[in-house]
Amino acid sequence: MARTKSVEPPDQARPAPHAVVVPPSIAARHGARVLDPVTAVRLPDSTAPRPTVYAGERLVMQRGVADRDAADPLVQLRDPCAQLGVRMERTSTGFDRLRRRRGARPPVHPEVLDLIRRHWMDTVRLTPGADQPDQPVDAWPCLRRLQSDAPDQARTMRLDHLIAATPVAGTPYWGGTPYWGGTPYWGGTPYWGGTQSPAVEYGRAGFGGRSPVAVVLPNPAVGAARVPRAPVVAVPDTGLGSHPWFDGDPTVTTEVYFDGILLGLHGPVPFDADSPPPAANPLDPGIEPDTGHGTFIAGLIRQLCPQARILAIPVMRNDGVVAESGLVNTLTLLLARHKQSLLDGTEDGLVDVLSLSLGYYHESAEDHRMDGPFGALMREYAAHGVAVVAAAGNSTTLSPMYPAGFAADVTGFAEGRVPLASVGALNPGGKTVAYFSNDGDWVSTFRKGSALVSTFPTDVTAALQPSAEVTFRGRQRTTMDPDDFSGGFCTWSGTSFAAPVLAGEIAAALVGDPDLPAIDQATAVARGRRAVKAVVAEWQGKGL
């Protein structure tokens, strides 16, 4: 029988840093750097930075509406950067210059354009100076030099964090997988120095790890009650794979456009062009860590709210990594699409719930103050009536993972906006918190997130084979093939999946709201607040 130990919350306001290790394949593909608190340049207040993962040869810059007519800050920043032997070059395309699909488009409202300009991120490439071509480039010391030598011009410059999906899969992944090759893991690091955490159990088949299962229930959407307007749940993730529940379903959208711009990896919104699709190893073909991640999430939403429309926006490949710049710009255009619909009084672009099963750890203990761009965008979503649900992370840590960490400090319970909900994971019985789940006063609520069953792409298979096989009377008999997902369903664990459980519950609450068909910002905020209050017990009686 397992022993139970009572653990009191730590007295310190700042949680202890968690170790971070990046798998070499991820580091090479995305140009990742790990910020090491021991060796890195210190923060402006002279404290050591916290571990984070970022694009090593890139910075991001937000100029905003007020600065759009001002002089280009890169002109003043190039000299301080050159003192480090580094050149700066703007590499992203501004919104006004993005490629658009041909065809007649209605004019974009000025308020929508202002929203885009406030949140749009330009990317700045860092390369070695001409006189030092062999010198390595690192964005963190460059950023700190710029902040020290030209603080006014550098106030909008930031690291381009690498954001990860957050499943527990037993595969090498920084977003929360409990272990990686016997070494401390980048997003969760449940063990160090050979001491194995109980969290590793969730990565094993039979204990909540990704494993094929058979489901005999029908598609919940078949025969679902019709509603005047279906609630819309946006899922920026790995996209949607082939599955009978979704193939040809008009309530599922895999290509989302705004002003003729396709949102996501395959559109023109700036993503990391230096991150090619993962190359398969022909000697050891395997299923990538986050293959089917978005499909699994969509299936959970379908189970809980079969009437919901799902916007499956691919923002990451099957390695489950996306640059902050690409994600923020995509979410900015998604919100612009929503705002345009509110202003026009049309429902085509509306979003009611945003389900985010991804995150990262910030380098500053004052994350909500330092990390202006993402937090400000989440605040805008809340003010426009969108209920944002974010996974708390699987690192077994008290350190806030963002955007879930914005739950209390950015959206809170202020009037005029819908509070962001951060979601931790429960075990199947619903009575205990999953061992891998992050925790702390920044976690709003918990939902089941261990050994869940949901949809998975039917065309996924890899090298593993049945352990035994025989033919009898012309029929093939085998043990289970652990890599055969042709049945279309699997078990999986992670706060990645606790989040869409809550998102589906909020969508279901909206189905019964008589004001759902109304299209205006004030009504959207009011009904969003009612919906989250109805399903989040922790928020009932707190002024919502």
Side-chain angles (χ1 to χ4, degrees):
M1 182 175 180
R3 293 183 299 169
T4 300
K5 181 179 180 181
S6 178
V7 181
E8 295 299 322
D11 293 332
Q12 68 269 24
R14 178 176 176 175
H18 55 282
V20 175
V21 174
V22 182
S25 60
I26 297 289
R29 190 179 306 152
H30 296 274
R33 300 282 192 281
V34 176
L35 194 59
D36 182 355
V38 177
T39 61
V41 180
R42 292 189 165 236
L43 294 164
D45 62 0
S46 297
T47 60
R50 299 174 68 77
T52 192
V53 183
Y54 59 97
E57 299 183 2
R58 188 169 64 244
L59 292 171
V60 293
M61 177 174 62
Q62 278 189 313
R63 298 181 66 183
V65 175
D67 300 329
R68 67 188 182 199
D69 297 323
D72 188 345
L74 287 188
V75 175
Q76 286 79 29
L77 293 175
R78 285 194 172 100
D79 285 344
C81 207
Q83 295 177 23
L84 294 175
V86 176
R87 295 185 297 184
M88 304 176 67
E89 175 189 3
R90 193 190 308 275
T91 54
S92 69
T93 302
F95 167 73
D96 294 334
R97 298 183 299 279
L98 285 179
R99 301 188 312 275
R100 287 164 170 78
R101 185 175 58 172
R102 292 183 179 181
R105 301 188 308 274
V108 178
H109 195 283
E111 290 183 23
V112 176
L113 290 175
D114 283 349
L115 181 149
I116 295 170
R117 289 167 179 148
R118 281 199 307 273
H119 297 287
W120 194 261
M121 280 187 166
D122 285 339
T123 54
V124 178
R125 186 185 303 278
L126 307 176
T127 57
D131 55 341
Q132 302 182 61
D134 298 329
Q135 177 176 315
V137 173
D138 191 330
W140 175 247
C142 290
L143 176 62
R144 290 296 297 115
R145 171 63 67 88
L146 297 177
Q147 291 172 334
S148 175
D149 292 359
D152 290 340
Q153 291 77 20
R155 61 187 172 82
T156 63
M157 303 287 290
R158 290 171 177 83
L159 294 177
D160 196 359
H161 298 98
L162 294 181
I163 297 175
T166 56
V168 174
T171 49
Y173 195 70
W174 103 56
T177 303
Y179 60 94
W180 178 65
T183 57
Y185 195 70
W186 148 3
T189 323
Y191 63 92
W192 178 272
T195 302
Q196 195 174 78
S197 165
V200 302
E201 293 182 7
Y202 291 92
R204 300 172 187 158
F207 289 83
R210 187 171 59 189
S211 178
V213 296
V215 171
V216 296
L217 296 174
N219 182 350
V222 176
R226 297 179 64 85
V227 293
R229 180 174 81 81
V232 180
V233 183
V235 182
D237 208 270
T238 60
L240 197 63
S242 178
H243 193 276
W245 280 15
F246 305 120
D247 294 346
D249 186 344
T251 68
V252 178
T253 303
T254 57
E255 292 187 354
V256 179
Y257 287 87
F258 169 71
D259 193 36
I261 301 167
L262 177 63
L263 305 191
L265 274 175
H266 308 298
V269 172
F271 277 86
D272 185 4
D274 296 329
S275 301
N281 181 357
L283 302 180
D284 185 22
I287 300 173
E288 286 206 86
D290 291 288
T291 297
H293 193 254
T295 307
F296 197 92
I297 290 169
L300 292 170
I301 295 167
R302 171 61 59 86
Q303 293 176 58
L304 288 154
C305 185
Q307 297 94 342
R309 286 186 56 215
I310 299 173
L311 307 182
I313 305 171
V315 296
M316 57 180 68
R317 299 185 176 96
N318 290 334
D319 62 358
V321 181
V322 57
E324 182 181 10
S325 55
L327 179 63
V328 167
N329 286 347
T330 298
L331 293 180
T332 295
L333 295 186
L334 181 65
L335 180 59
R337 181 177 180 268
H338 172 73
K339 185 177 182 70
Q340 183 78 46
S341 284
L342 290 175
L343 293 168
D344 292 345
T346 62
E347 61 180 67
D348 293 345
L350 294 179
V351 175
D352 297 292
V353 186
L354 176 64
S355 185
L356 298 173
S357 295
L358 42 77
Y360 68 100
Y361 298 93
H362 200 276
E363 63 271 14
S364 169
E366 299 292 336
D367 314 70
H368 61 284
R369 298 177 186 172
M370 290 288 289
D371 201 26
F374 214 150
L377 182 58
M378 294 297 96
R379 189 181 295 112
E380 288 258 24
Y381 266 91
H384 285 83
V386 180
V388 179
V389 178
N394 311 320
S395 305
T396 322
T397 181
L398 296 173
S399 297
M401 190 185 79
Y402 292 88
F406 295 131
D409 296 312
V410 172
T411 57
F413 300 98
E415 290 291 339
R417 57 184 187 239
V418 183
L420 183 152
S422 57
V423 190
L426 298 174
N427 286 314
K431 297 179 181 179
T432 58
V433 175
Y435 207 92
F436 59 78
S437 180
N438 289 355
D439 209 335
D441 57 8
W442 54 278
V443 179
S444 307
T445 189
F446 292 84
R447 287 297 184 276
K448 292 180 181 179
S450 304
L452 290 167
V453 175
S454 189
T455 49
F456 198 80
T458 56
D459 55 358
V460 173
T461 188
L464 296 181
Q465 300 292 325
S467 61
E469 178 178 350
V470 67
T471 301
F472 179 73
R473 292 183 175 176
R475 294 189 294 266
Q476 190 178 26
R477 301 167 57 88
T478 74
T479 55
M480 281 186 57
D481 182 343
D483 273 353
D484 179 7
F485 291 91
S486 58
F489 295 90
C490 74
T491 60
W492 214 346
S493 299
T495 60
S496 268
F497 313 128
V501 167
L502 179 61
E505 291 177 357
I506 294 173
L510 287 169
V511 167
D513 194 308
D515 289 337
L516 186 60
I519 304 174
D520 66 86
Q521 186 168 332
T523 304
V525 171
R527 68 179 174 237
R529 290 169 69 87
R530 286 194 297 269
V532 296
K533 179 180 179 180
V535 300
V536 181
E538 293 87 343
W539 285 347
Q540 294 171 8
K542 288 193 175 182
L544 281 177

